[in-house]
Amino acid sequence: MSQSLWVGQPLWLPAKTTHQFPKLSGRHKTTVAIVGGGITAALTAHSFASAGIETVVLEAGAVARGSTAASSALILQEPDLELAQLADRYGLRSSQRIWQLGQQSVRDLTSLLRRLRIRCDLAGRSAIYYAADAEALERLRQEFQLRSRSGFAADWLGVRELRDTTGISGRGAIRTHGNAQLDPYSACVGVLRSAVAAGARVFEHSQVQRIEVQKHGVRITTPHGTIDSQGVVIATGYATRYFRPLAGRFRLYRTYVLATEPVSARQRAELGLSDVMVWDARRPYHYARWTHDRRLLLGGGDQLVRPGQKRQRQFERARTELRQYFEGVFPALADIPTEFAWEGLFAMTPDSLPYIGPHPRYPRHLFALGYGGNGISFSQLAARLLLEQWRGVKSRDHTLFAFDRTRRS
Ligand SMILES: Cc1cc2nc3c(=O)[nH]c(=O)nc-3n(C[C@H](O)[C@H](O)[C@H](O)COP(=O)(O)OP(=O)(O)OC[C@H]3O[C@@H](n4cnc5c(N)ncnc54)[C@H](O)[C@@H]3O)c2cc1C
């Protein structure tokens, strides 16, 4: 799979490319090498380097310019699957634990970014998950009850409260507090810089071409250098060509995002959306949030990647459909032009949870792959779980995200 991770013009990317980190050349040694330079690699590098472990990051292109640059960066506590859907699959206890880990990851990530003073427009937000029709309403009511019984605090919004808070004419909604939003490019670069301050070394334009497992570690080869390392973390988003035997575990989707021009106070009042993040209960889902500079960010409409598709043509069609969809939701949007539009790839696992941990086929490797639509919270979780695994700490939490997790019979 060598296609670009996104097309179009992501809002977050600075106009000029600034060279930030050197290219790997010559022979080096380290304790852990991390392949990838997105938010997962950044948080993992920071976690390992802060624990005093010698760490090297190897990015094929420039850091933070993969899926991370395309992200809408709604930092949600909730996985893509509802609690009830996860419970059908794994039982209620495991699903509750996955949800608790999601909540903890958002808390950990936001406190880390604040503690490191990373300027990434981080802001706490409530998330509103709404039903547009009667069928979704029934499902959401049951989901709300299950969440309440499980101790996950939330409010139920009726038709009027939903409209007053979001401007949306829907049937009902679940509102949760304690979520966040940010600029993913700045967050990623900021965390990488902090990892460097904690002792990590970062190399860009250093594509990993080969990883040989040796007696006491791995030898990693890039076009101009090699690294001998005790182990390697693969944080490339999904299983790249190099890990072809794992590819069947992922399905790749294209997802679409629009950002409007900055909106005036009058237009904002007409739209009716307050400072919350909203997403609908449809599949594929749609979501909206405000940016720091008063743009409305609108996304969703995911489509499965199939061979032979004309990507640019599909992008043009999907962005038009997305715009039409949201003009139906927010009629006042009709007068507000789109300024940025982009499409990004993401890898989805069958249960929408990432794979975090070892795989028996690949000794001395740890993986952090397969983040769905809300992957950034799980990147934070990966950074913590991988450090525990590296140190040999045993935890039931590791089994929830292991490659061999099994569906409840
Ligand atoms: C359009 C879109 C919207 C999204 N919205 C949200 C959202 O609202 N909230 C949320 O939480 N998540 C969202 N996501 C998902 C989230 O962005 C991802 O889960 C996250 O960015 C993944 O980060 P990563 O570091 O794992 O992968 P990436 O950012 O893709 O980084 C992987 C890196 O690995 C590098 N690489 C690959 N192969 C090699 C190699 N051989 N050698 C060296 N480097 C290599 C690539 O160049 C790339 O930079 C969205 C994703 C998309 C595409």
Side-chain angles (χ1 to χ4, degrees), residues 96 112 161 179 192 257 262 290 312 334 351:
Q96 287 169 335
L112 178 77
E161 286 164 296
N179 305 287
L192 276 172
V257 191
W290 292 106
Q312 189 61 35
D351 56 11

Side-chain angles (χ1 to χ4, degrees), residues 5 35-41 58-61 66-68 70-74 206-208 235-237 240 255 257 287 342 344-345 371-377:
L5 290 170
V35 185
I39 190 71
T40 310
L58 298 166
E59 163 57 46
S67 304
T68 298
S71 186
S72 313
L74 285 77
S206 303
Q207 180 171 23
V208 171
T236 51
T240 54
T255 181
V257 191
Y287 56 83
W342 66 99
L345 275 184
Y371 300 94
N374 57 354
I376 294 176
S377 317

